[in-house]
Amino acid sequence: MKARGLVPLIVFAVMVGFLFVGLKLDPREVPSPLIDKPAPAFSLPRLDAPDAKLSPADLRGQVWLFNVWASWCVSCRQEHPLLVEFSRTHEVPIYGLNYKDDVGAATDWLTRWGNPYTASVVDADGRVGIDYGVYGVPETYLIDKQGTIRYKQIGPLTPAVIETKILPMVRELNG
Amino acid sequence: MIPEIGHLALIIALCLALVQATIPMIGAARGNAVWCAAARPLALGQLTFVVLAFWCLTHAFVTNDFSVLYVADHSNSQLPLQYRIAGVWGGHEGSLLLWVTMLCGWTAAVALFSRNLPQEMAARVLAVMGLISVGFLSFMLFTSDPFDRLIPGAVEGQDLNPLLQDPGLVIHPPMLYMGYVGFSVAFAFAIAALISGRLDATWARWSRPWTVAAWSVLTCGIALGSWWSYYELGWGGWWFWDPVENASFMPWLVGTALIHSLAVTEKRGGFKNWTVLLAIFAFSLSLLGTFLVRSGVLTSVHAFATDPRRGIFILVFLAVVIGSSLTLYAWRAPKVGLGGRFSLLSRESLLLTNNVLLVAAAGSVLLGTLYPLLLDALKLGKISVGPPYFNSVFIPLMVPAVFLMGVGPYARWKKAELPDLAKRLKWALVSGIVAAAVLPFLMGTWKPLVALGMLLAVWVVVAGGMGLVARLKATPGGFFGLPRSYLGMQIAHAGVAVAIVGITMVTTYQEERDVRMGVGETAEVGGYTFRFDGVHGVQGPNYQSSMGDVTVLKDGLAQRVLHPEKRVYTVQTNPMTEAAIQSNGIRDLYVSLGEPLGGGAWSVRIYFKPFVSWIWGGAAIMALGGLTTLADPRYRLVLGRRFRPRPVRRKGAEEPAR
Amino acid sequence: MRGPSRPVSAPRAGMILALTALLALAAPALAKEAASLAQEPALEARMMAMATELRCLVCQNQTLADSHADLAKDLREEIREMMKKGMTDDEIRAYLVDRYGDFVLYRPPWKTTTALLWAGPALLVVVGGVVLAASLRRRRREPLEDDAPLTDEERDRLQRILEEEGKVPPP
């Protein structure tokens, strides 16, 4: 009889345990189902040379970062200096996906704040973004030599993330 | 100066609450009458100071004191007066103050109307409520002080969120909180009963009116919330199974189960353990709701701005209060007697089946609400649980419960005979089936959901009506001779039927059209013609509005002009839609402006919503039923008349004075 | 010679009036019917029906159908195009889940991880029913204190009370 009376308490304790853990989680973060899957193909015009096209196939054989950005994006301004600095270390080439932006505004933005990208491609209508599961800008993907997505950063990059996640993975993937 | 007084008042209230939580409890354990009696003045004192704090905050809002951070965040000098007052509870800190004010209000009510309760019982009840006060007042003072100053003071406030600048804000949160918090009384009674070991039919009789009162008010609060989102959000939805909505609905479901379970315990003395557990559950769900809404653990349109520190505080409080109540339950409950015996088919068993269904429904809503969190915590992925899940799960649970609503009042206590029940209910069943087959055609096509809704609604109404008529015939004094609790039950059940009609009709037969309307163009929706007559600018007190003129015609005759608006508020410049709704009781015409499309044309969304107001009408009827029950004289014991046992008369003696 | 200010003759005026009257009467019939906002209403209805069960990823708990966010508009357009291409509802949902995960579905999919979610409610009812039935059966087996017979003293008291209430004639 007494043991049965403890059932509500036990169930409650389990629930509270989960709620405690829940306090540390972000319910709005959407983890990417594309991790360890091939990077979706695209063929988009380059920002600097609209007649030239770039696709992930062109980048096989190297580890690269794919950063989704836009001139209208406030948080991108936040991570941009970090990206520029990181690009100077030449640890890993950074390619940009200019998401739903105006070419003129985007070019001006890069001129003004610095260009960390080996090249940027223009995704005017956001279709490629949808293919990559982009839902908020900025987002960054780490893609390996075989063209598989290995990591996705949701939101701006921080020095901590670069140090603890990106750099070790880049080095590991480069061998 | 005034905000500081408010802050001080909260501190004093906390001190009083601390004393109220401890002294009477010790007094009850030791049999110290003075300490027990201290509970009442302490409760009233606490109420005084909390009301003073509330007044101070309201004063800050009304006088536009932007040196108070909370006022600067949620108000503006151009905000109309009623929203400056309602804005007091428009944000997290202020709504907590509202919570505590409601709690003190209920505590004071219990203190004033409990003269007939044995003193230790009253002392314990008030002590438990004081403990809850301590929790919330500390939460406010340590993490969410509405009186925090902003130095230097802001010149102008950030304005109240335009979505909240609406009469709905004036009434919905106060009603909702009154209901939510009201379950603390049932909880306190349950705890007091567990501590004292006095878990009997009398305890149930004391608890029941408080529970019914809280339930009635909560019903209104939830209905108001639903109605408010219907007309405010612009897409005609009235329930989304959003975590915050669920947070108020779960206590309601358990509260309904509790009312029915209290009926069994009161009448037959049975199932006291279960009733006590339900009382604990109901309030626990209220507290859980408070946590979910303010901790950031779940995403919701209605959630308050969050801070992990606050989340931890509430969670610890929750864990302590509920954890200790459930421990107390595990320790004390088995000692309590079993109560009257009853057979497998009896009113008791039917009421308990109702309980199983309602609690399973509440459990399902809880499961669905917390499941994404569960999976995320276990690193098993991220999912969303939304209306498709809740609807698929909730309806099958409620259908048998509503069916039983028709049977229950006919079943005898202790033992009911199936053939007898079947005989008395067959007409109700037949009417239900006929209604299900025929009535949907009145709206056009026959659809199964509506048929089901009609079947259940007519079943409940006819069964209830026939029972009412039979009882009227047997009661001298006619209508006014009927016990009010019986009338209340009939009214509340009828309210459920009305709500079911509304829900099934609007879900099945609503029509919606998204059209591009140039000036003079028309659209046909739901048998009405809507003609767009252009948009003109209107200046509001703190917004600029584009007001549309849409003429409604039926059979070529213009009936009225509706004015949907697109407003841009001066401070928070996101555009806001104000839908134009015309209701005639059996259908709503709902028009909402979209975007200007150039050349004077606008995108307009037009809805035809049949019977949607029956949803809230049904809820209002349910609440009315609850309030009718409260007027029952046998609960007037609660209102202070001394309960004196009738003296045993000796042979030949005079009738003693009563 | 005709001049612009030549007065209108009576028969002509009558004809103009008659025509105007006729036009006025016909005006409601001539009032322009507003066009649906959508290009293809049937497709739109299908898309919206699906969108009400999909989640807007950038909103605070809103469906894809109701959201005004840019990403929501893009996704709705994407769904329209997929429907035009002839993809089935399941294929479209799979497309979205491939990119955004199960989070985008408001109706949780049937999986091992969601088994408890979908089976939970039924389980609750069954467990509740079993507990109820078991406790009812337990009651029937155990004798209750209430069922103990009255003592002689209690019997006398009862007799006295009933006599005084007039419910039982005095012996």
Side-chain angles (χ1 to χ4, degrees):
Chain A
M1 253 303 228
K2 195 135 189 227
R4 272 184 55 222
L6 283 170
V7 169
L9 182 64
I10 295 170
V11 171
F12 174 68
V14 169
M15 187 185 76
V16 169
F18 278 111
L19 293 176
F20 256 118
V21 176
L23 283 173
K24 302 189 184 75
L25 303 168
D26 179 0
R28 299 192 59 191
E29 194 184 74
V30 186
S32 178
L34 293 172
I35 307 282
D36 296 333
K37 297 237 172 69
F42 60 81
S43 176
L44 289 177
R46 291 168 62 127
L47 182 66
D48 49 355
D51 297 324
K53 294 259 165 96
L54 187 64
S55 94
D58 301 337
L59 301 169
R60 284 275 167 86
Q62 54 175 323
V63 177
W64 53 289
L65 274 182
F66 197 29
N67 174 258
V68 183
W69 66 279
S71 62
W72 46 259
C73 157
V74 175
S75 316
C76 303
R77 261 300 294 129
Q78 227 184 307
E79 77 167 356
H80 203 73
L82 189 64
L83 266 180
V84 171
E85 199 189 301
F86 187 52
S87 68
R88 290 203 189 116
T89 65
H90 296 291
E91 284 271 1
V92 57
I94 308 177
Y95 287 83
L97 180 73
N98 185 230
Y99 182 74
K100 298 196 71 172
D101 205 352
D102 169 70
V103 170
T107 319
D108 288 342
W109 199 81
L110 286 180
T111 316
R112 192 167 166 204
W113 303 112
N115 188 351
Y117 306 112
T118 313
S120 249
V121 291
V122 176
D123 182 18
D125 56 8
R127 287 299 163 77
V128 173
I130 290 178
D131 263 346
Y132 274 79
V134 169
Y135 68 95
V137 194
E139 289 177 5
T140 312
Y141 299 82
L142 180 64
I143 300 171
D144 71 9
K145 293 182 180 173
Q146 289 77 35
T148 309
I149 297 178
R150 295 310 210 117
Y151 177 76
K152 178 180 178 183
Q153 169 68 12
I154 297 165
L157 286 164
T158 63
V161 167
I162 293 187
E163 279 301 319
T164 56
K165 296 228 170 67
I166 308 242
L167 275 178
M169 276 193 107
V170 166
R171 285 177 190 146
E172 190 198 319
L173 291 169
N174 267 324
Chain B
M1 189 58 210
I2 306 252
E4 275 65 36
I5 295 177
H7 186 85
L8 189 62
L10 284 180
I11 296 177
I12 297 176
L14 176 60
C15 296
L16 289 175
L18 273 164
V19 178
Q20 185 188 324
T22 49
I23 300 292
M25 189 67 88
I26 301 172
R30 295 226 188 118
N32 186 328
V34 172
W35 284 24
C36 285
R40 186 170 300 127
L42 283 168
L44 295 172
Q46 211 198 124
L47 177 65
T48 314
F49 283 99
V50 167
V51 167
L52 176 62
F54 196 86
W55 179 86
C56 291
L57 190 59
T58 311
H59 182 268
F61 265 86
V62 170
T63 55
N64 292 316
D65 184 354
F66 298 123
S67 66
V68 177
L69 180 60
Y70 182 69
V71 179
D73 279 341
H74 294 97
S75 186
N76 185 274
S77 50
Q78 290 178 314
L79 194 60
L81 180 65
Q82 69 270 29
Y83 301 133
R84 267 184 279 154
I85 298 175
V88 169
W89 53 79
H92 164 71
E93 295 86 344
S95 73
L96 272 180
L97 186 52
L98 181 68
W99 218 106
V100 174
T101 311
M102 291 295 173
L103 182 62
C104 290
W106 281 101
T107 312
V110 172
L112 290 173
F113 293 130
S114 59
R115 274 173 232 281
N116 68 300
L117 282 176
Q119 203 178 42
E120 333 83 62
M121 186 70 158
R124 287 192 172 111
V125 169
L126 292 171
V128 171
M129 295 188 79
L131 188 63
I132 301 168
S133 261
V134 166
F136 275 89
L137 283 166
S138 339
F139 180 52
M140 267 207 289
L141 286 167
F142 292 122
T143 72
S144 320
D145 192 348
F147 298 108
D148 269 346
R149 286 283 194 179
L150 179 66
I151 296 164
V155 173
E156 191 47 274
Q158 304 274 43
D159 204 11
L160 188 62
N161 185 338
L163 277 175
L164 298 178
Q165 291 187 31
D166 186 273
L169 181 68
V170 180
I171 182 103
H172 161 64
M175 287 241 98
L176 191 71
Y177 284 33
M178 213 189 297
Y180 239 20
V181 179
F183 282 129
S184 63
V185 181
F187 174 76
F189 269 95
I191 300 295
L194 279 174
I195 294 176
S196 65
R198 287 193 61 173
L199 205 61
D200 52 14
T202 333
W203 161 75
R205 183 164 291 195
W206 291 324
S207 284
R208 197 166 167 194
W210 296 104
T211 313
V212 173
W215 178 88
S216 304
V217 178
L218 184 60
T219 308
C220 288
I222 295 175
L224 280 165
S226 163
W227 183 47
W228 187 15
S229 51
Y230 167 76
Y231 75 73
E232 182 68 21
L233 295 174
W235 55 76
W238 49 270
W239 191 257
F240 191 62
W241 295 105
D242 176 87
V244 173
E245 292 176 342
N246 295 346
S248 66
F249 195 50
M250 289 186 281
W252 186 87
L253 287 168
V254 174
T256 311
L258 179 58
I259 294 176
H260 291 79
S261 187
L262 277 169
V264 178
T265 307
E266 185 188 346
K267 277 265 167 43
R268 302 277 297 139
F271 277 81
K272 301 169 214 157
N273 283 5
W274 174 243
T275 308
V276 160
L277 194 58
L278 277 183
I280 297 177
F281 278 164
F283 187 59
S284 308
L285 286 168
S286 294
L287 285 181
L288 181 66
T290 310
F291 168 76
L292 289 176
V293 171
R294 294 162 202 274
S295 61
V297 145
L298 297 170
T299 327
S300 162
V301 189
H302 306 75
F304 290 104
T306 61
D307 177 357
R309 218 173 27 138
R310 291 172 178 171
I312 294 177
F313 196 110
I314 311 182
L315 188 56
V316 169
F317 178 58
L318 190 75
V320 166
V321 169
I322 304 174
S324 41
S325 343
L326 290 175
T327 312
L328 184 65
Y329 171 81
W331 174 35
R332 300 287 283 203
K335 297 203 168 82
V336 169
L338 284 175
R341 198 185 279 189
F342 50 86
S343 80
L344 214 56
L345 180 63
S346 60
R347 192 182 291 189
E348 291 97 323
S349 65
L350 289 176
L351 281 170
L352 287 164
T353 313
N354 143 303
N355 262 217
V356 168
L357 290 166
L358 282 168
V359 172
S364 310
V365 173
L366 184 64
L367 185 65
T369 309
L370 291 182
Y371 209 79
L373 170 63
L374 178 77
L375 286 188
D376 200 9
L378 292 173
K379 302 228 186 302
L380 290 173
K382 208 134 187 159
I383 63 164
S384 297
V385 179
Y389 170 80
F390 290 108
N391 289 329
S392 341
V393 147
F394 188 72
I395 295 171
L397 284 174
M398 285 296 104
V399 167
V402 174
F403 177 74
L404 285 180
M405 225 163 71
V407 183
Y410 281 88
R412 291 189 213 285
W413 290 106
K414 204 160 175 177
K415 189 174 169 68
E417 300 288 343
L418 189 56
D420 176 54
L421 280 174
K423 196 180 76 165
R424 291 158 88 192
L425 286 168
K426 68 169 185 274
W427 286 117
L429 187 61
V430 166
S431 335
I433 294 174
V434 167
V438 170
L439 288 178
F441 285 110
L442 290 177
M443 295 295 301
T445 47
W446 189 93
K447 290 277 165 100
L449 184 66
V450 182
L452 181 63
M454 290 292 132
L455 171 65
L456 288 173
V458 170
W459 159 257
V460 168
V461 168
V462 173
M466 285 175 70
L468 181 63
V469 164
R471 189 133 174 196
L472 268 173
K473 283 194 194 142
T475 312
F479 201 73
F480 294 101
L482 286 172
R484 305 226 183 103
S485 55
Y486 176 78
L487 269 179
M489 173 196 80
Q490 290 283 13
I491 295 172
H493 287 180
V496 176
V498 169
I500 290 176
V501 170
I503 293 170
T504 47
M505 285 294 213
V506 82
T507 311
T508 314
Y509 295 116
Q510 70 177 346
E511 285 179 40
E512 175 190 335
R513 284 200 67 197
D514 249 323
V515 281
R516 178 191 191 287
M517 296 190 102
V519 180
E521 291 184 354
T522 62
E524 290 267 338
V525 182
Y528 290 84
T529 309
F530 295 80
R531 190 183 69 218
F532 184 62
D533 292 327
V535 167
H536 59 276
V538 169
Q539 179 69 44
N542 58 338
Y543 60 85
Q544 184 69 298
S545 164
S546 305
M547 187 180 285
D549 300 304
V550 177
T551 311
V552 180
L553 303 114
K554 178 106 179 157
D555 303 322
L557 287 168
Q559 297 207 325
R560 60 195 328 116
V561 183
L562 296 174
H563 298 288
E565 292 178 48
K566 197 95 183 176
R567 291 185 187 171
V568 177
Y569 282 77
T570 326
V571 181
Q572 298 190 21
T573 53
N574 289 331
M576 256 236 344
T577 335
E578 279 288 318
I581 305 177
Q582 197 268 314
S583 178
N584 73 348
I586 55 170
R587 56 104 188 105
D588 272 21
L589 299 173
Y590 189 115
V591 180
S592 127
L593 278 181
E595 307 290 323
L597 300 170
W602 280 69
S603 64
V604 182
R605 194 175 271 188
I606 304 172
Y607 291 92
F608 169 74
K609 292 200 174 263
F611 292 95
V612 71
S613 43
W614 282 39
I615 301 174
W616 309 301
I621 296 172
M622 280 189 241
L624 182 65
L627 293 174
T628 310
T629 308
L630 284 177
D632 195 306
R634 70 173 185 241
Y635 298 129
R636 289 219 200 101
L637 291 174
V638 172
L639 292 174
R641 254 192 239 157
R642 262 194 203 293
F643 172 59
R644 271 165 286 171
R646 283 179 62 209
V648 175
R649 276 174 283 162
R650 295 228 171 69
K651 250 190 190 161
E654 297 289 319
E655 268 228 5
R658 247 195 248 127
Chain C
M1 207 157 101
R2 282 183 216 154
S5 50
R6 193 178 100 163
V8 177
S9 70
R12 180 158 279 179
M15 240 170 52
I16 293 172
L17 234 95
L19 265 170
T20 316
L22 268 170
L23 275 170
L25 281 170
L30 291 179
K32 195 159 163 236
E33 177 83 21
S36 269
L37 210 55
Q39 304 284 50
E40 288 158 56
L43 186 80
E44 192 72 9
R46 186 181 155 210
M47 186 277 286
M48 288 301 254
M50 183 185 274
T52 33
E53 295 205 352
L54 295 171
R55 186 172 191 154
C56 162
L57 298 142
V58 295
C59 314
Q60 302 257 57
N61 205 27
Q62 262 188 294
T63 62
L64 205 60
D66 295 330
S67 169
H68 295 298
D70 278 342
L71 181 62
K73 289 185 192 154
D74 288 346
L75 284 171
R76 285 197 295 264
E77 187 56 42
E78 188 81 14
I79 296 176
R80 271 188 214 108
E81 300 207 348
M82 285 192 271
M83 286 183 170
K84 281 187 201 156
K85 270 191 244 162
M87 287 169 77
T88 65
D89 283 2
D90 284 336
E91 286 168 351
I92 298 175
R93 269 191 283 266
Y95 178 93
L96 290 170
V97 169
D98 280 343
R99 284 152 185 75
Y100 292 104
D102 288 330
F103 187 75
V104 76
L105 300 171
Y106 264 134
R107 181 187 292 267
W110 275 88
K111 277 182 167 168
T112 28
T113 44
T114 59
L116 181 61
L117 176 68
W118 284 106
L123 231 79
L124 281 171
V125 174
V126 164
V127 166
V130 162
V131 168
L132 180 61
S135 82
L136 285 180
R137 223 164 279 146
R138 202 176 0 106
R139 267 153 205 274
R140 281 203 271 160
R141 269 186 268 119
E142 285 180 24
L144 298 165
E145 323 89 65
D146 303 13
D147 276 6
L150 295 173
T151 64
D152 286 328
E153 199 202 306
E154 287 172 339
R155 210 189 296 272
D156 280 336
R157 253 181 72 208
L158 178 62
Q159 183 70 10
R160 257 187 286 122
I161 292 171
L162 287 173
E163 284 169 15
E164 270 147 24
E165 296 282 336
K167 295 223 157 72
V168 156

